[in-house]
């Protein structure tokens, strides 16, 4: 029986030297007893350094580097059994997942990989004064001897400040230039109590917590309880979980907000430093901007004279409008034109535009199916519409449908409740249906009734103008 004495922990180099010597001497696995300094009383034979180098498949070497990090006392014996068989005719043994030795080694490898992943995820530094300035120190309790395997992650992630990671199995110290390993530490070596750095981390964790996606079962699976005692954010989790339901209700009741990153106003001010002074300048900006809705290919601009009596605001261009580049020229536009004619309003004397400048649609085969813009998407375009109306200066605005009303009011407005004469901010307006609503009605009589109501709303707008004059 050959007895091999290795260092405590993960002694890959010692194991490699031993394997070279054992293979060179033809020592079979059953004739080797493996031990380390933790069991010094049983073993006294050191591995030889002069043995011939051997060649092994890369996946076997990678497996061995990880498995030596395990705490199972049989890990070296299992690895040598694997290597012996690979060198004696079973070169592809690792592909045989049902082999008992391969199965146990693979389970060890997965356990080591999980432990390294948890260390990367759950190390929390705290600021500590030191002789060479500020040093960030963390306490972690790994399950296996993984410090060396996990170290490259922290060196590459935090190269510019000094840090130490203390564990019961050893420690790592980085001085911005060199990584050194130290002996085991205890949690009492972590001097500083909660500091501003740690408070900042907890606040950051609170700000990124999404109560609508709360899943405590998944949280426990991803963040096992054994790590909680060393995680600063764990102290805040209870309150966040208890308040999650109330925060979700608050989020549902709150009005949609504009993404700051996609705000056309901010983008415009960044590019020009001031709002456009003419309709042509505004249209150039709109034309050059990307669509804020899915599917939009080109901006369909408003058309008509400046300072008109009436400005009609629709929802968004449709398929034909997107093709022709003009508002209200499709099937809904035909109904719109018929209603204008019925009420005696000249389209050429009105300004006509949409709240959303691009056609939002979903491609189904050869057809482009209209998709209603969300409130958030309408808000993205709202600033453009407001600037457009400031420049055009209509005497009265006609909002065609709820989307147009939302764009003008900045809040949801039900057509059924507010239809007729109204105001959006200080602008006098008439709220009515969008002509596409009449298109969707299957009952012909009902469609005619709604068309008559639509014409009546246009007559109301014309009467308001006459009264104001």
């Amino acid at each position: 029986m050959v007895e091999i004495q290795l260092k405590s922990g993960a002694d890959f180099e010692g194991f490699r030297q031993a394997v070279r010597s054992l293979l060179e001497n033809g020592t079979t696995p059953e004739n080797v007893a493996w031990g380390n300094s933790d069991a010094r009383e049983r073993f006294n034979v050191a591995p030889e350094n002069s043995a011939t180098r051997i060649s092994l498949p890369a996946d076997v070497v990678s497996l061995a580097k990880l498995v030596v990090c395990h705490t199972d006392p049989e890990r070296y014996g299992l690895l040598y059994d694997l290597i012996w068989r690979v060198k004696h005719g079973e070169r592809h043994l690792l592909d045989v997942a049902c082999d008992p030795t391969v199965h146990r080694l693979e389970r060890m490898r997965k356990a080591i990989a999980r432990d390294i992943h948890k260390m990367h995820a759950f190390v929390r530094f705290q600021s500590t004064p030191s002789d060479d300035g500020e040093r960030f120190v963390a306490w972690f309790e790994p399950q296996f001897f993984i410090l060396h395997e996990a170290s490259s992650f922290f060196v590459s992630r935090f190269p510019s400040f000094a840090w130490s990671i203390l564990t019961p199995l050893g420690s790592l110290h980085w001085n911005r230039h060199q990584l050194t390993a130290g002996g085991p530490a205890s949690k009492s070596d972590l001097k500083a109590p909660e500091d501003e750095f740690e408070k900042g981390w907890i606040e950051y964790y609170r700000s990124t917590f999404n109560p609508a996606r709360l899943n405590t079962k998944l949280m426990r699976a991803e963040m096992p309880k054994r790590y909680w005692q060393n995680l600063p954010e764990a102290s805040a989790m209870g309150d966040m979980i208890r308040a999650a339901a109330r925060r979700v209700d608050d989020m549902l009741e709150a009005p949609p907000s504009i993404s700051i990153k996609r705000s056309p106003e901010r983008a415009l001010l960044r590019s020009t430093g001031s709002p456009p002074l003419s309709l042509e300048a505004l249209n150039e900006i709109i034309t050059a901007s990307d669509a804020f809705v899915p599917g939009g290919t080109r901006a369909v601009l408003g058309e008509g004279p400046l300072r008109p009596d009436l400005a009609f605001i629709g929802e968004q261009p449709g398929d034909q409008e997107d093709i022709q580049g003009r508002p209200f020229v499709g099937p809904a536009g035909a109904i719109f034109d018929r209603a204008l004619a019925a009420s005696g309003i000249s389209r050429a004397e009105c300004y006509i535009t949409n709240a959303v400048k691009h056609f939002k649609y979903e491609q189904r085969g050869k057809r482009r199916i209209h998709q209603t813009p969300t409130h958030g998407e309408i808000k993205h375009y709202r600033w453009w519409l407001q600037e457009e109306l400031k420049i055009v200066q209509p005497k009265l605005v006609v909002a065609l449908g709820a989307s147009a009303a939302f764009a003008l009011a900045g809040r949801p407005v039900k057509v059924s409740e507010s239809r007729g004469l109204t105001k959006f901010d200080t602008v006098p307006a008439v709220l009515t249906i969008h002509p596409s609503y009449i298109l969707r009605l299957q009952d012909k009589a009902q469609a005619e009734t709604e068309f008559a109501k639509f014409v009546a709303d246009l007559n109301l707008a014309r009467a308001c103008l006459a009264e104001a004059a």
Side-chain angles (χ1 to χ4, degrees):
M1 176 69 68
V2 177
E3 298 178 345
I4 300 296
Q5 176 71 46
L6 298 177
K7 295 178 182 176
S8 177
D11 186 4
F12 178 74
E13 189 57 36
F15 174 70
R16 178 161 59 182
Q17 293 296 334
V19 167
R20 289 174 178 173
S21 176
L22 292 169
L23 288 177
E24 189 173 81
N25 295 327
T27 307
T28 58
E30 56 269 21
N31 289 318
V32 182
W34 297 90
N36 56 38
S37 56
D38 295 334
R40 186 164 300 169
E41 69 279 5
R42 293 178 54 203
F43 305 100
N44 53 16
V45 177
E48 299 178 10
N49 294 325
S50 57
T52 307
R53 295 169 66 92
I54 60 173
S55 174
L56 287 171
D59 53 355
V60 173
V61 177
S62 297
L63 177 71
K65 283 183 176 178
L66 279 181
V67 169
V68 296
C69 300
H70 207 280
T71 54
D72 190 324
E74 296 185 22
R75 61 191 185 279
Y76 292 118
L78 290 168
L79 282 173
Y80 184 59
D81 180 59
L82 172 78
I83 293 171
W84 174 269
R85 292 167 64 187
V86 168
K87 295 296 291 182
H88 290 82
E90 298 181 71
R91 186 170 181 82
H92 300 290
L93 178 59
L94 272 184
D95 296 335
V96 185
C98 61
D99 182 272
T101 298
V102 173
H103 178 68
R104 283 193 64 185
L105 290 172
E106 180 62 17
R107 289 186 61 183
M108 290 183 189
R109 184 195 66 77
K110 288 182 178 179
I112 294 293
R114 279 196 301 272
D115 204 30
I116 293 174
H117 172 72
K118 297 301 183 187
M119 183 173 178
H120 291 169
F122 296 142
V123 160
R124 299 289 184 264
F125 290 101
Q126 64 182 42
S127 177
T128 305
S130 68
D131 296 337
D132 56 348
E134 187 178 38
R135 175 170 285 271
F136 294 88
V137 183
W139 170 256
F140 187 75
E141 298 176 23
Q143 190 175 357
F144 305 112
F145 303 108
I146 59 170
L147 274 185
H148 176 72
E149 290 298 319
S151 61
S152 60
F153 170 84
F154 296 101
V155 171
S156 62
R157 191 89 181 256
F158 311 113
S160 59
F161 61 80
W163 51 260
S164 295
I165 299 177
L166 311 180
T167 84
L169 302 178
S171 54
L172 294 172
H173 306 281
W174 173 252
N175 65 359
R176 301 184 183 90
H177 305 289
Q178 186 177 11
L179 182 70
T180 56
S186 68
K187 195 171 183 179
S188 60
D189 296 332
L190 200 67
K191 298 177 183 176
E194 183 178 317
D195 59 2
E196 292 301 321
F197 184 81
E198 193 166 284
K199 289 179 181 176
W201 169 255
I202 295 175
E203 191 59 33
Y204 166 76
Y205 189 84
R206 288 181 190 275
S207 67
T208 58
F209 177 72
N210 184 348
R213 302 183 67 181
L214 175 65
N215 185 333
T216 53
K217 185 177 179 181
L218 183 63
M219 288 175 70
R220 280 194 292 269
E222 294 296 323
M223 188 184 292
K225 201 170 183 177
R226 62 185 294 263
Y227 298 105
W228 292 6
Q229 59 180 328
N230 299 318
L231 296 176
E233 63 266 33
S235 62
M237 286 183 186
D239 292 340
M240 290 191 295
I241 292 172
R242 284 188 289 273
R246 176 179 54 76
R247 289 185 59 194
V248 170
D249 291 339
D250 293 343
M251 290 165 62
L252 292 173
E253 293 175 2
S257 59
I258 305 175
S259 167
I260 295 175
K261 186 177 179 181
R262 300 183 67 189
S263 166
E265 180 179 5
R266 293 172 67 90
L268 175 69
L269 293 178
R270 280 199 300 271
S271 61
T272 66
S274 62
L277 300 177
S278 68
L279 189 59
E280 290 76 13
L282 176 64
N283 286 342
E284 284 183 11
I285 294 169
I286 296 174
T287 303
S289 298
D290 294 331
F292 295 131
V293 293
T297 57
R298 60 184 293 182
V300 177
L301 306 173
E303 64 177 24
L306 297 180
R307 299 177 185 79
D309 287 343
L310 289 173
F312 289 90
I313 316 299
E315 179 193 76
Q316 67 169 359
D319 181 67
Q320 283 301 311
E321 285 82 1
D322 183 60
I323 294 172
Q324 300 184 39
R326 294 184 57 209
F328 285 95
V329 292
I335 293 179
F336 177 62
D337 287 344
R338 187 157 68 92
L340 287 178
S343 62
I345 298 174
S346 169
R347 173 168 173 149
E349 296 176 359
C350 300
Y351 188 82
I352 302 169
T353 190
N354 284 298
V356 173
K357 306 303 183 191
H358 295 87
F359 177 33
K360 180 182 179 182
Y361 66 90
E362 179 181 318
Q363 191 76 43
R364 296 180 190 172
K366 294 182 179 180
R367 299 184 62 196
R368 303 194 299 176
I369 306 301
H370 168 277
Q371 301 290 307
T372 301
T374 65
H375 283 176
E377 289 165 343
I378 295 173
K379 277 199 169 186
H380 290 152
Y381 289 91
R382 186 170 183 249
W383 185 85
W384 286 348
L385 178 63
Q386 291 176 320
E387 291 301 307
E388 189 177 9
L389 294 179
K390 284 180 187 175
I391 296 171
V392 174
Q393 298 181 23
K395 292 179 181 176
L396 189 140
V397 168
V398 179
L400 302 172
S403 294
F406 180 86
L408 291 164
R411 57 179 174 77
V413 179
K414 290 186 177 180
V415 177
S416 58
E417 295 177 359
S418 305
R419 187 169 183 169
L421 189 61
T422 184
K423 276 190 175 182
F424 296 116
D425 293 330
T426 58
V427 179
V430 168
L431 173 60
T432 184
I433 60 167
H434 193 281
S436 63
Y437 169 68
I438 300 172
L439 273 179
R440 296 193 295 272
L441 295 174
Q442 300 293 319
D443 186 285
K444 187 175 180 181
Q446 186 184 2
E448 288 300 321
T449 300
E450 290 299 329
F451 179 78
K453 291 181 180 177
F454 183 42
V455 173
D457 289 336
L458 300 188
N459 289 335
L460 174 63
R462 196 178 61 171
C464 291
L465 287 173
E467 184 177 342

